[in-house]
Amino acid sequence: MKDTLAFLMLLTLVPVGVVCVVNAVWAVMRAFMAGPAAEAVRLVAGRIAESMHRVQAIELALEGLRPLLPWPYPRRLQKAADALRANRPITTVEALEIGRLLPATMVPLAKSAERLGPTVLEHWFRSVSVPPRVRVSIGRRIAPVLLTIAAIVLVMMFFSVFIAPKFELMAREIDLDFTGVGAWAWLQILAGPWAGLTLIIIVIVLVSLWSRWRWVMGRRILRGEIILSAVRSGVPEDAIAAALGVPRANASLTSICHAAGWKVADADALAIALASSRERSDRHGVVLMAVFEIVAPLLLAIPVLLLGRAVFGLLISIINSLENLS
Amino acid sequence: MSVFLHPHRADILAAVALVARAREPLADGLVSLTAGDPHLSRWASRLAPALRSGTPAPDVLRRARLLSRHETRILAADADFVAALDRIASAAASPPRGIWWVRHLPVSCALAFALPATAWCLLLAANGMDLHYATDQLGITVGSIGRLSHQPLASALLLGAMLLAITAGDAAVRGVRGLRHLTHFWCPEVDRQVALLRLIQHARLGDDAPVRLDPLRSALARVGVGAWRPNQPVWDRDWRTWMFLTRWRLSPDLRKQSAQRRDLASRLTLLGIVDSDRGRPDWDAAETLCRERLDDALSSSYLLVRPVLLLTVWTGFMGMAMSVLAPLIRVASYL
């Protein structure tokens, strides 16, 4: 009875332990991601826009976000707030850059908006803070697949470390050499003791690349927002051209819009084009999600196929070798 | 946030808020408002007698499982009944789903394992006892899991007892000073936002008066092991939880300064949790942001908790299913 109860308790407490360990590993991994998470960028941008609107200190707004964001963002927020408080003159965007709270691909755009005045910058931050209609990110959808792959890798690591050496020993005792067998090599690659670390590095690289790429896709819209809010706030076209790096010789609104990727002639047309572009981007997001939901489970098939090939290939190799031996 | 609340409470609370805003008597207004809606009119006829009898509306709603204890306290304390009810109704319309399963993960895991396993045991008790009596009489022994299906009724009792023990253990740990922080390990982000949300709700009411503890909590506090402290405001425990969970996020100076303030609103303002709008704290914005962060934290933690729970259900189901075969395998090996 005692061992049965212990077994049942183990079955209950092991899943809790797994959740705690994965949480801890993910908290450490977050620090190594190259760019900030989209949610963090949106939250910071929204809060700064609100502070600018209410003419309040940005550093207080940044400090107020520290309890709301997970590690390592509290440290980064404090760094940005300290940079704003320091005696040397520093702009909001520079402080965010110091705190690594803006993706590298967005910094030039943010600086352009900042050069055009606080109204344009506030409007730009507000545009950044707007969440996409498809709130559930691809990252969230791929997480179960990655977790399952991680579980498979961990089980295979266990196999590789504790069980496979016994097979090798047995093989050596009956003068069998299967270390050169292709399947065995696959198993060693996929399930070796370093497989877990390899998986962690792959996830960090993939997430970093994705967080960089996702903002690249939205740059055209955000550039359009800068032009629109600058025109509406009465900023001269020369200044807009200078801020966006368009040659001053062509400093008409049409040429600025063309240089920014918008084939429109005036501000109203730009506003309509921006709205329709956002709508289109949302629609593409929905389609991408639908495709991804179909493709994501197929991703699981790859490691399962490779491991299945490795394990069964190995068994067949052993049987063949035994037949040859006899 | 409780699993014991009515699932469609948002509609009913919104209807009550609508009537209250129109300054009509709640009972009659509710009955006339819901006349064309069969679902709501059933609720109106259920609530109307209690409302007519003069029982305070928060208590009536609480008894009908439309409000949690915490929400009842907020509603009773808020001077603006309609605004408070509106807030509760809109929050109830999109509740943080699955929060109980995440925050009480050991109990969830125990349930996920024990329920399918118990179902198997009861199924065996109803249908498949002969084989087990036969193996018993033959003196065939099976492993520890095999024994579970060997004595189905006793096993069902054992699983139930285990479930009770884990639930009681979870509740007990949450009531013990120091130890209770162990329960934050599996969902720290969710617990952090839940504590902050409750703090914001208390702060907007100015709920800073010390409260008397109930006898059990008071006794625990006297012994020095209870998580509650006597003569402290109602938010004291949430504040300490939140301070514990944000110890790496806030600077020590700021923590010290905020703890020296007497009222909760000024503490949260000092920490920058609530912005001021035209010189007044913008509680609505702070609460909305906190709810968004809670939803976000919950969906993140559910990514992991859901597969873990499914795996536990599968283990419980398959483990018991395989154990049914254990006596047969033993018989085969004896033969």
Side-chain angles (χ1 to χ4, degrees):
Chain A
M1 183 63 78
K2 207 160 64 181
D3 56 341
T4 308
L5 202 60
F7 181 73
L8 293 177
M9 291 298 280
L10 201 68
L11 269 181
T12 303
L13 295 179
V14 164
V16 178
V18 168
V19 172
C20 295
V21 169
V22 174
N23 274 341
V25 170
W26 180 240
V28 175
M29 278 169 72
R30 266 201 308 264
F32 293 98
M33 306 288 178
E39 283 88 355
V41 174
R42 285 198 191 99
L43 192 63
V44 171
R47 195 70 186 265
I48 290 178
E50 206 51 45
S51 288
M52 291 178 81
H53 181 67
R54 291 174 178 173
V55 201
Q56 289 170 344
I58 307 286
E59 55 268 30
L60 284 180
L62 292 176
E63 282 179 341
L65 283 177
R66 280 182 308 170
L68 297 178
L69 283 168
W71 200 79
Y73 297 105
R75 190 168 45 84
R76 293 186 189 180
L77 286 161
Q78 187 60 57
K79 212 169 158 186
D82 288 345
L84 280 170
R85 278 212 185 89
N87 287 330
R88 65 201 165 95
I90 194 168
T91 63
T92 307
V93 176
E94 281 170 346
L96 293 181
E97 197 183 357
I98 288 170
R100 291 200 290 142
L101 291 165
L102 272 182
T105 46
M106 299 266 281
V107 172
L109 265 184
K111 284 186 172 165
S112 301
E114 196 166 45
R115 276 196 289 273
L116 291 168
T119 315
V120 177
L121 185 62
E122 182 199 323
H123 182 86
W124 186 80
F125 275 128
R126 217 173 277 285
S127 320
V128 172
S129 71
V130 175
R133 197 171 58 182
V134 190
R135 283 300 300 268
V136 182
S137 67
I138 285 187
R140 291 254 164 94
R141 305 234 170 174
I142 203 170
V145 177
L146 286 176
L147 281 170
T148 314
I149 291 175
I152 292 173
V153 168
L154 284 176
V155 168
M156 292 316 292
M157 272 173 70
F158 175 81
F159 179 81
S160 168
V161 173
F162 294 105
I163 297 175
K166 290 189 177 69
F167 271 91
E168 273 185 319
L169 203 66
M170 283 160 58
R172 212 173 295 139
E173 278 176 5
I174 55 171
D175 284 338
L176 266 180
D177 179 25
F178 57 81
T179 48
V181 174
W184 182 249
W186 263 116
L187 200 63
Q188 289 297 312
I189 292 165
L190 290 168
W194 296 102
L197 191 62
T198 313
L199 187 79
I200 286 174
I201 291 169
I202 289 171
V203 171
I204 288 175
V205 170
L206 283 180
V207 174
S208 300
L209 284 176
W210 168 242
S211 62
R212 194 180 170 82
W213 182 73
R214 72 186 307 162
W215 293 110
V216 170
M217 299 300 287
R219 267 196 309 196
R220 183 171 160 265
I221 291 178
L222 289 173
R223 207 177 289 134
E225 296 280 2
I226 291 177
I227 298 170
L228 185 65
S229 59
V231 171
R232 287 191 171 159
S233 341
V235 179
E237 287 170 354
D238 274 1
I240 302 175
L244 290 173
V246 179
R248 279 175 193 242
N250 302 325
S252 69
L253 181 59
T254 313
S255 61
I256 293 170
C257 288
H258 275 233
W262 295 95
K263 305 263 182 285
V264 291
D266 55 26
D268 290 339
L270 179 60
I272 294 167
L274 273 169
S276 99
S277 186
R278 275 197 190 275
E279 180 68 26
R280 206 165 43 243
S281 159
D282 279 346
R283 220 168 34 239
H284 288 167
V286 172
V287 173
L288 191 66
M289 280 298 161
V291 171
F292 195 76
E293 280 192 347
I294 298 165
V295 172
L298 296 178
L299 285 178
L300 265 183
I302 299 168
V304 170
L305 181 77
L306 289 174
L307 286 172
R309 241 186 85 185
V311 172
F312 284 106
L314 180 66
L315 287 173
I316 291 165
S317 305
I318 292 171
I319 291 165
N320 286 342
S321 305
L322 283 172
E323 274 179 359
N324 291 340
L325 201 71
S326 62
Chain B
M1 289 186 201
S2 168
V3 285
F4 303 109
L5 294 176
H6 196 276
H8 302 299
R9 69 193 187 111
D11 297 338
I12 305 138
L13 291 175
V16 177
L18 206 62
V19 174
R21 190 178 295 115
R23 295 175 189 284
E24 285 182 42
L26 280 183
D28 298 335
L30 203 56
V31 170
S32 63
L33 178 73
T34 58
D37 186 322
H39 170 64
L40 284 180
S41 63
R42 207 165 45 242
W43 272 99
S45 52
R46 186 177 156 189
L47 296 175
L51 287 169
R52 280 196 192 102
S53 71
T55 315
D59 293 340
V60 175
L61 297 173
R62 165 91 179 120
R63 272 179 223 151
R65 290 196 303 126
L66 297 174
L67 290 178
S68 68
R69 196 165 40 185
H70 175 65
E71 287 165 343
T72 313
R73 201 183 298 140
I74 284 174
L75 202 57
D78 203 322
D80 191 347
F81 175 81
V82 180
L85 192 58
D86 257 342
R87 277 200 309 276
I88 292 170
S90 59
S94 52
R97 296 211 181 275
I99 194 164
W100 192 91
W101 299 100
V102 174
R103 293 191 72 200
H104 299 81
L105 190 61
V107 182
S108 309
C109 288
L111 271 170
F113 172 73
L115 287 185
T118 311
W120 261 114
C121 289
L122 295 176
L123 197 71
L124 281 175
N127 299 305
M129 295 291 284
D130 293 350
L131 173 66
H132 296 84
Y133 279 130
T135 48
D136 256 353
Q137 281 167 2
L138 285 170
I140 295 170
T141 54
V142 288
S144 58
I145 280 294
R147 272 201 297 277
L148 276 178
S149 58
H150 211 60
Q151 298 162 328
L153 275 177
S155 304
L157 284 176
L158 178 70
L159 288 168
M162 183 196 79
L163 201 58
L164 268 179
I166 289 177
T167 311
D170 181 76
V173 166
R174 281 169 197 276
V176 176
R177 187 176 298 171
L179 267 186
R180 73 193 178 100
H181 295 309
L182 289 175
T183 60
H184 305 313
F185 267 111
W186 47 85
C187 58
E189 200 59 42
V190 174
D191 282 344
R192 196 175 287 123
Q193 302 308 333
V194 167
L196 182 59
L197 184 61
R198 291 167 71 98
L199 288 175
I200 290 172
Q201 286 170 339
H202 284 299
R204 74 186 302 160
L205 296 175
D207 217 354
D208 298 315
V211 289
R212 283 171 63 89
L213 294 177
D214 60 49
L216 176 66
R217 288 174 184 181
S218 180
L220 282 172
R222 269 202 299 277
V223 180
V225 295
W228 297 269
R229 294 191 303 188
N231 300 319
Q232 292 294 325
V234 69
W235 44 262
D236 177 60
R237 190 161 168 260
D238 288 320
W239 172 259
R240 283 182 289 125
T241 302
W242 193 69
M243 277 282 119
F244 176 80
L245 290 171
T246 52
R247 67 200 179 287
W248 307 118
R249 298 189 178 192
L250 297 170
S251 67
D253 288 345
L254 204 57
R255 286 162 63 84
K256 212 175 284 175
Q257 280 174 31
S258 64
Q260 282 164 356
R261 304 259 174 123
R262 283 194 66 79
D263 64 305
L264 184 57
S266 64
R267 287 184 187 193
L268 294 184
T269 310
L270 177 73
L271 293 172
I273 297 299
V274 55
D275 270 345
S276 62
D277 185 19
R278 296 186 199 95
R280 296 178 65 189
D282 189 352
W283 294 113
D284 283 339
E287 192 170 333
T288 308
L289 182 61
C290 190
R291 280 190 194 281
E292 279 174 15
R293 296 303 304 154
L294 175 60
D295 284 345
D296 203 48
L298 202 55
S299 53
S300 295
S301 67
Y302 229 59
L303 277 178
L304 182 58
V305 167
R306 195 175 2 215
V308 162
L309 287 180
L310 282 175
L311 197 67
T312 315
V313 168
W314 185 82
T315 311
F317 196 77
M318 289 306 289
M320 294 310 284
M322 292 304 288
S323 71
V324 172
L325 298 176
L328 278 179
I329 294 165
R330 284 280 170 177
V331 169
S333 67
Y334 272 76
L335 287 174

